[in-house]
């Protein structure tokens, strides 16, 4: 499943204008006084902009008539505890908004398909590419949103149960079925208006995990190799994320392995390995160690050029 650096560079060149979002304040997670408790981002973390892969659509006839997939029906639901905590991805803080806060924004959306079909989302539920769902960096989980394609004026309602996207200027990623209903399943991107919908006062926060309505499906891909966990390693590292939960750190690490296992900055021949560092009650997803800060910075440049994110250099 690896994606080569050359392919990513070509794609990002085409998407450069879309990626020109405000520069975040890149800070190390060890900065005191931040008051942020990193948590779940599960899917969509490192996908290239645009949901269309030549191999990401259905691998056979869809099991349902996509034209007849009904909108999500807004209803009061308990908030997911961990999915609504502030979190950190690639040096940037994300603070989920509270239910009831007005959210209406125009921007670019994409879709994600079978590469994530059957995998866990930030809510703990199973992602179904044929359901009317979406991922958003900060809208409450679960919640609902009306999405209008500004070119076709097609409108749908989706249920937010996942986090992302993070790195390319998109404001939301929707399921394959939602993209079909909006009329852009055969292309990478669409310009839309997203408006939050709240079905009533929020219910009591629920524990992390799948809801009773979740319908497990077999995961289509073999699981990634386990990510080694270490403590108090010394040297120069690139930090990609920090989480209070080991499971969430492993989710990010596994996704990196699946998406970029063939990239030169991920190959073991460089001497840098992907691992999880347990330090100060945080599970930190890191690449390293590197021989020097200069070598780490050079690797960070490759990653930034390839996937438009900026790892944090950590020296211990």
């Amino acid at each position: 499943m690896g994606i080569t650096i050359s392919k990513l560079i070509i794609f990002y060149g085409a998407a450069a204008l879309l990626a020109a979002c405000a520069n975040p304040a890149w800070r190390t997670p060890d900065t005191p006084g931040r008051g942020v408790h990193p948590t779940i981002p599960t899917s969509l973390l490192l996908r290239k902009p645009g949901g269309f892969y030549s191999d990401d659509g259905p691998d056979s006839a869809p099991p349902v008539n996509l034209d007849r997939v009904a909108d999500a029906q807004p209803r009061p639901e308990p908030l997911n505890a961990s999915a609504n905590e502030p979190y950190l991805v690639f040096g940037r803080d994300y603070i989920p908004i509270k239910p009831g806060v007005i959210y209406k924004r125009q921007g670019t959306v994409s879709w994600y398909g079978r590469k994530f079909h059957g995998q866990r989302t930030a809510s703990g539920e199973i992602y179904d590419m044929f359901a009317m769902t979406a991922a958003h960096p900060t809208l409450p989980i679960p919640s609902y949103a009306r999405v209008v394609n500004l070119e076709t004026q097609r409108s749908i309602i989706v249920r937010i149960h996942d986090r992302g996207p993070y790195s390319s200027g998109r404001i939301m990623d929707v399921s394959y079925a939602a993209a079909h209903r909006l009329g852009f399943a055969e292309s990478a991107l669409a310009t839309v208006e997203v408006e939050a919908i709240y079905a009533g006062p929020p219910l009591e926060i629920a524990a992390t995990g799948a809801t009773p309505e979740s319908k497990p499906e077999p995961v289509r891909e073999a699981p990634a190799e386990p990510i080694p966990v270490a403590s108090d390693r010394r040297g120069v590292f690139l930090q990609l994320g920090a989480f209070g939960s080991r499971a969430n750190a492993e989710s990010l690490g596994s996704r990196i392995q699946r998406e970029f296992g063939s990239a030169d900055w991920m190959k073991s021949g460089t001497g840098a390995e992907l691992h999880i560092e347990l330090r100060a009650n945080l599970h930190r997803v890191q690449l390293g160690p590197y021989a020097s800060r200069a070598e780490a910075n050079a690797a960070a440049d490759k990653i930034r050029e390839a996937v438009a994110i900026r790892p944090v250099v950590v020296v211990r």
Side-chain angles (χ1 to χ4, degrees), residues 166-237:
Y166 296 108
S167 63
S168 65
R170 303 189 309 278
I171 63 172
M172 174 183 278
D173 281 353
V174 301
S175 67
Y176 179 81
H180 177 88
R181 287 275 315 278
L182 287 170
F184 75 101
E186 297 304 318
S187 62
L189 305 167
T191 302
V192 302
E193 181 176 84
V194 177
E195 181 177 10
I197 297 175
Y198 302 107
L203 302 180
E204 182 179 350
I205 291 180
T208 303
T211 68
E213 295 184 359
S214 300
K215 297 179 180 179
E217 301 179 23
V219 177
R220 298 190 177 200
E221 301 175 33
E225 292 295 323
I227 310 297
V229 178
S231 296
D232 297 322
R233 297 184 66 175
R234 301 293 174 178
V236 183
F237 304 88

Side-chain angles (χ1 to χ4, degrees), residues 77 85 115 133 199 214 226 234 300-301:
E77 294 186 72
E85 295 178 359
K115 288 192 176 183
T133 60
S214 300
R234 301 293 174 178
D301 288 341

Side-chain angles (χ1 to χ4, degrees), residues 282-300:
L282 285 179
H283 296 79
R284 307 162 191 271
V285 182
Q286 298 180 341
L287 276 172
Y290 292 92
S292 64
R293 181 184 285 272
E295 184 178 302
N297 285 332

Side-chain angles (χ1 to χ4, degrees), residues 156-170:
I156 61 171
I157 296 176
V158 293
R159 181 172 177 267
I160 312 297
H161 71 154
D162 208 357
R163 288 292 177 221
Y166 296 108
S167 63
S168 65
R170 303 189 309 278

